[in-house]
Amino acid sequence: MRPLKKDITTGELLARLFKATHLKDVLENEDIPQPPSFHEHLRQLCRSRGEIAEHVIKRAGIDRTYGHQLFSGRRKPSRDKVIQLAFGFGLDVEETQQLLKVAQQTPLYPKIKRDAAVIYCLARNMEITEAQNVLVDFNLPVLGVEAGRIRHDR
């Protein structure tokens, strides 16, 4: 029987990768957990938050059919769709960064004006329509929606 291995830290794994002569030595000798797929992560978020996918999709401002394809794993989301889902779930900035990571998308970067605006909106727990209007106000591309569909009646 193989002895149980303790969880390896990211730093320890990185050090072993740098020292290894062969990648096989590291990958075969370490239990590197595989993160859940994006759609599994969405379902876990729904369960942990007592949410229904339909409600998250609607609050995210995503087309219903497309949203259900994301939740079922039939579609891979763009970065914008992931951010929209973060608004639909009401995630904070850290949780949004994690969602982007699970979706294998680049994290929000505050030195990019549009990302800075999105971070600002997430930190203030804005709804997607409010965030879209902030982007429009600063002449920045809206999240996954044609600019003509954003309300300007404020």
Short mmCIF file of all heavy atoms in Angstrom, two decimals, residues 8-38:
data_model
loop_
_atom_site.label_atom_id
_atom_site.label_comp_id
_atom_site.label_asym_id
_atom_site.label_seq_id
_atom_site.Cartn_x
_atom_site.Cartn_y
_atom_site.Cartn_z
N ILE A 8 1.25 19.19 -1.16
CA ILE A 8 2.46 19.96 -1.43
C ILE A 8 2.06 21.42 -1.68
O ILE A 8 1.05 21.69 -2.31
CB ILE A 8 3.22 19.38 -2.65
CG1 ILE A 8 4.55 20.08 -2.82
CG2 ILE A 8 2.38 19.41 -3.89
CD1 ILE A 8 5.45 19.40 -3.84
N THR A 9 2.86 22.32 -1.14
CA THR A 9 2.56 23.74 -1.36
C THR A 9 3.01 24.12 -2.77
O THR A 9 3.84 23.43 -3.38
CB THR A 9 3.28 24.64 -0.35
OG1 THR A 9 4.70 24.56 -0.59
CG2 THR A 9 2.96 24.25 1.09
N THR A 10 2.48 25.22 -3.25
CA THR A 10 2.86 25.71 -4.57
C THR A 10 4.36 26.00 -4.62
O THR A 10 5.04 25.65 -5.59
CB THR A 10 2.05 26.97 -4.92
OG1 THR A 10 0.66 26.65 -4.82
CG2 THR A 10 2.36 27.47 -6.31
N GLY A 11 4.88 26.61 -3.57
CA GLY A 11 6.31 26.93 -3.52
C GLY A 11 7.18 25.68 -3.56
O GLY A 11 8.21 25.65 -4.25
N GLU A 12 6.78 24.65 -2.81
CA GLU A 12 7.54 23.39 -2.81
C GLU A 12 7.51 22.73 -4.18
O GLU A 12 8.54 22.25 -4.66
CB GLU A 12 6.96 22.42 -1.78
CG GLU A 12 7.18 22.82 -0.34
CD GLU A 12 6.37 21.97 0.65
OE1 GLU A 12 5.33 21.39 0.26
OE2 GLU A 12 6.79 21.92 1.81
N LEU A 13 6.35 22.74 -4.81
CA LEU A 13 6.23 22.14 -6.13
C LEU A 13 7.08 22.90 -7.14
O LEU A 13 7.79 22.30 -7.96
CB LEU A 13 4.76 22.11 -6.58
CG LEU A 13 4.50 21.49 -7.95
CD1 LEU A 13 5.02 20.06 -8.02
CD2 LEU A 13 3.01 21.53 -8.26
N LEU A 14 7.05 24.21 -7.08
CA LEU A 14 7.85 25.03 -7.99
C LEU A 14 9.34 24.74 -7.80
O LEU A 14 10.09 24.57 -8.78
CB LEU A 14 7.54 26.51 -7.76
CG LEU A 14 8.06 27.49 -8.79
CD1 LEU A 14 7.56 27.15 -10.18
CD2 LEU A 14 7.65 28.90 -8.42
N ALA A 15 9.77 24.63 -6.55
CA ALA A 15 11.19 24.33 -6.27
C ALA A 15 11.57 22.96 -6.84
O ALA A 15 12.64 22.81 -7.44
CB ALA A 15 11.44 24.37 -4.77
N ARG A 16 10.69 21.98 -6.69
CA ARG A 16 10.98 20.64 -7.22
C ARG A 16 11.03 20.65 -8.75
O ARG A 16 11.83 19.94 -9.35
CB ARG A 16 9.94 19.64 -6.73
CG ARG A 16 10.09 19.36 -5.25
CD ARG A 16 9.06 18.40 -4.74
NE ARG A 16 9.12 18.37 -3.28
CZ ARG A 16 8.30 17.70 -2.53
NH1 ARG A 16 7.32 16.99 -3.06
NH2 ARG A 16 8.41 17.73 -1.22
N LEU A 17 10.17 21.45 -9.37
CA LEU A 17 10.18 21.55 -10.83
C LEU A 17 11.49 22.16 -11.31
O LEU A 17 12.08 21.71 -12.30
CB LEU A 17 9.00 22.39 -11.33
CG LEU A 17 7.65 21.70 -11.30
CD1 LEU A 17 6.53 22.71 -11.49
CD2 LEU A 17 7.57 20.61 -12.36
N PHE A 18 11.99 23.19 -10.62
CA PHE A 18 13.26 23.81 -11.01
C PHE A 18 14.44 22.86 -10.83
O PHE A 18 15.38 22.88 -11.62
CB PHE A 18 13.50 25.10 -10.21
CG PHE A 18 12.68 26.27 -10.69
CD1 PHE A 18 12.01 27.06 -9.77
CD2 PHE A 18 12.57 26.59 -12.04
CE1 PHE A 18 11.26 28.15 -10.19
CE2 PHE A 18 11.83 27.66 -12.47
CZ PHE A 18 11.16 28.45 -11.54
N LYS A 19 14.39 22.03 -9.80
CA LYS A 19 15.50 21.12 -9.51
C LYS A 19 15.46 19.83 -10.32
O LYS A 19 16.48 19.16 -10.46
CB LYS A 19 15.50 20.76 -8.02
CG LYS A 19 15.87 21.90 -7.11
CD LYS A 19 15.80 21.45 -5.65
CE LYS A 19 16.04 22.62 -4.72
NZ LYS A 19 15.87 22.23 -3.31
N ALA A 20 14.30 19.48 -10.85
CA ALA A 20 14.12 18.18 -11.50
C ALA A 20 14.93 18.07 -12.79
O ALA A 20 15.03 19.01 -13.57
CB ALA A 20 12.64 17.96 -11.82
N THR A 21 15.49 16.90 -12.98
CA THR A 21 16.18 16.60 -14.23
C THR A 21 15.16 16.27 -15.31
O THR A 21 15.32 16.64 -16.46
CB THR A 21 17.14 15.41 -14.04
OG1 THR A 21 18.00 15.70 -12.94
CG2 THR A 21 17.95 15.15 -15.28
N HIS A 22 14.12 15.56 -14.91
CA HIS A 22 13.05 15.15 -15.83
C HIS A 22 11.70 15.52 -15.24
O HIS A 22 11.45 15.28 -14.04
CB HIS A 22 13.10 13.64 -16.08
CG HIS A 22 14.41 13.18 -16.64
ND1 HIS A 22 14.78 13.39 -17.95
CD2 HIS A 22 15.44 12.53 -16.06
CE1 HIS A 22 15.97 12.90 -18.15
NE2 HIS A 22 16.41 12.36 -17.01
N LEU A 23 10.84 16.05 -16.05
CA LEU A 23 9.49 16.41 -15.61
C LEU A 23 8.75 15.19 -15.06
O LEU A 23 8.01 15.29 -14.07
CB LEU A 23 8.70 17.03 -16.77
CG LEU A 23 7.25 17.42 -16.47
CD1 LEU A 23 7.19 18.46 -15.36
CD2 LEU A 23 6.60 17.94 -17.75
N LYS A 24 8.98 14.05 -15.67
CA LYS A 24 8.34 12.80 -15.25
C LYS A 24 8.58 12.53 -13.75
O LYS A 24 7.69 12.06 -13.06
CB LYS A 24 8.89 11.66 -16.10
CG LYS A 24 8.32 10.33 -15.82
CD LYS A 24 8.95 9.30 -16.76
CE LYS A 24 8.51 7.91 -16.40
NZ LYS A 24 9.14 6.90 -17.24
N ASP A 25 9.79 12.85 -13.28
CA ASP A 25 10.12 12.62 -11.87
C ASP A 25 9.18 13.37 -10.94
O ASP A 25 8.83 12.87 -9.88
CB ASP A 25 11.57 13.03 -11.58
CG ASP A 25 12.58 12.19 -12.33
OD1 ASP A 25 12.23 11.07 -12.77
OD2 ASP A 25 13.72 12.67 -12.49
N VAL A 26 8.80 14.56 -11.33
CA VAL A 26 7.93 15.36 -10.48
C VAL A 26 6.47 14.95 -10.66
O VAL A 26 5.76 14.73 -9.69
CB VAL A 26 8.10 16.87 -10.77
CG1 VAL A 26 7.15 17.71 -9.92
CG2 VAL A 26 9.54 17.30 -10.53
N LEU A 27 6.03 14.87 -11.89
CA LEU A 27 4.61 14.61 -12.15
C LEU A 27 4.16 13.23 -11.68
O LEU A 27 3.02 13.06 -11.27
CB LEU A 27 4.30 14.79 -13.64
CG LEU A 27 4.45 16.20 -14.17
CD1 LEU A 27 4.04 16.26 -15.63
CD2 LEU A 27 3.65 17.20 -13.36
N GLU A 28 5.06 12.26 -11.72
CA GLU A 28 4.67 10.92 -11.30
C GLU A 28 4.79 10.72 -9.79
O GLU A 28 4.25 9.77 -9.25
CB GLU A 28 5.51 9.87 -12.04
CG GLU A 28 5.11 9.75 -13.49
CD GLU A 28 5.87 8.66 -14.22
OE1 GLU A 28 6.81 8.07 -13.65
OE2 GLU A 28 5.51 8.41 -15.39
N ASN A 29 5.51 11.60 -9.12
CA ASN A 29 5.73 11.42 -7.69
C ASN A 29 4.97 12.40 -6.81
O ASN A 29 5.10 12.38 -5.60
CB ASN A 29 7.23 11.52 -7.37
CG ASN A 29 8.00 10.36 -7.98
OD1 ASN A 29 7.56 9.23 -7.90
ND2 ASN A 29 9.12 10.66 -8.61
N GLU A 30 4.20 13.25 -7.41
CA GLU A 30 3.44 14.23 -6.63
C GLU A 30 1.95 14.10 -6.95
O GLU A 30 1.58 13.84 -8.09
CB GLU A 30 3.89 15.66 -6.96
CG GLU A 30 5.33 15.95 -6.66
CD GLU A 30 5.71 15.76 -5.20
OE1 GLU A 30 4.82 15.83 -4.32
OE2 GLU A 30 6.90 15.54 -4.92
N ASP A 31 1.16 14.28 -5.94
CA ASP A 31 -0.29 14.32 -6.14
C ASP A 31 -0.67 15.77 -6.41
O ASP A 31 -0.88 16.55 -5.48
CB ASP A 31 -1.04 13.79 -4.90
CG ASP A 31 -0.91 12.28 -4.77
OD1 ASP A 31 -0.80 11.61 -5.81
OD2 ASP A 31 -0.90 11.78 -3.63
N ILE A 32 -0.71 16.10 -7.67
CA ILE A 32 -1.08 17.46 -8.06
C ILE A 32 -2.57 17.44 -8.37
O ILE A 32 -2.99 16.80 -9.34
CB ILE A 32 -0.26 17.93 -9.28
CG1 ILE A 32 1.24 17.87 -8.94
CG2 ILE A 32 -0.69 19.32 -9.70
CD1 ILE A 32 2.14 18.12 -10.12
N PRO A 33 -3.35 18.10 -7.53
CA PRO A 33 -4.79 18.03 -7.74
C PRO A 33 -5.20 18.77 -9.01
O PRO A 33 -4.64 19.80 -9.36
CB PRO A 33 -5.37 18.72 -6.50
CG PRO A 33 -4.27 19.61 -6.02
CD PRO A 33 -2.99 18.95 -6.42
N GLN A 34 -6.17 18.21 -9.70
CA GLN A 34 -6.72 18.86 -10.88
C GLN A 34 -7.89 19.73 -10.44
O GLN A 34 -8.77 19.26 -9.72
CB GLN A 34 -7.20 17.81 -11.89
CG GLN A 34 -6.07 17.01 -12.52
CD GLN A 34 -5.11 17.90 -13.28
OE1 GLN A 34 -5.51 18.71 -14.09
NE2 GLN A 34 -3.82 17.74 -13.02
N PRO A 35 -7.89 20.98 -10.85
CA PRO A 35 -9.02 21.83 -10.47
C PRO A 35 -10.28 21.35 -11.16
O PRO A 35 -10.22 20.69 -12.20
CB PRO A 35 -8.60 23.22 -10.97
CG PRO A 35 -7.62 22.96 -12.06
CD PRO A 35 -6.94 21.66 -11.71
N PRO A 36 -11.44 21.68 -10.60
CA PRO A 36 -12.67 21.27 -11.26
C PRO A 36 -12.81 21.99 -12.60
O PRO A 36 -12.23 23.06 -12.80
CB PRO A 36 -13.77 21.72 -10.28
CG PRO A 36 -13.14 22.83 -9.50
CD PRO A 36 -11.68 22.50 -9.42
N SER A 37 -13.57 21.40 -13.50
CA SER A 37 -13.83 22.08 -14.76
C SER A 37 -14.67 23.32 -14.47
O SER A 37 -15.28 23.45 -13.40
CB SER A 37 -14.57 21.16 -15.72
OG SER A 37 -15.85 20.85 -15.21
N PHE A 38 -14.72 24.23 -15.42
CA PHE A 38 -15.44 25.48 -15.20
C PHE A 38 -16.90 25.23 -14.88
O PHE A 38 -17.44 25.79 -13.92
CB PHE A 38 -15.30 26.39 -16.43
CG PHE A 38 -15.95 27.73 -16.24
CD1 PHE A 38 -15.40 28.67 -15.38
CD2 PHE A 38 -17.12 28.05 -16.91
CE1 PHE A 38 -16.00 29.90 -15.18
CE2 PHE A 38 -17.72 29.29 -16.73
CZ PHE A 38 -17.16 30.21 -15.87
#
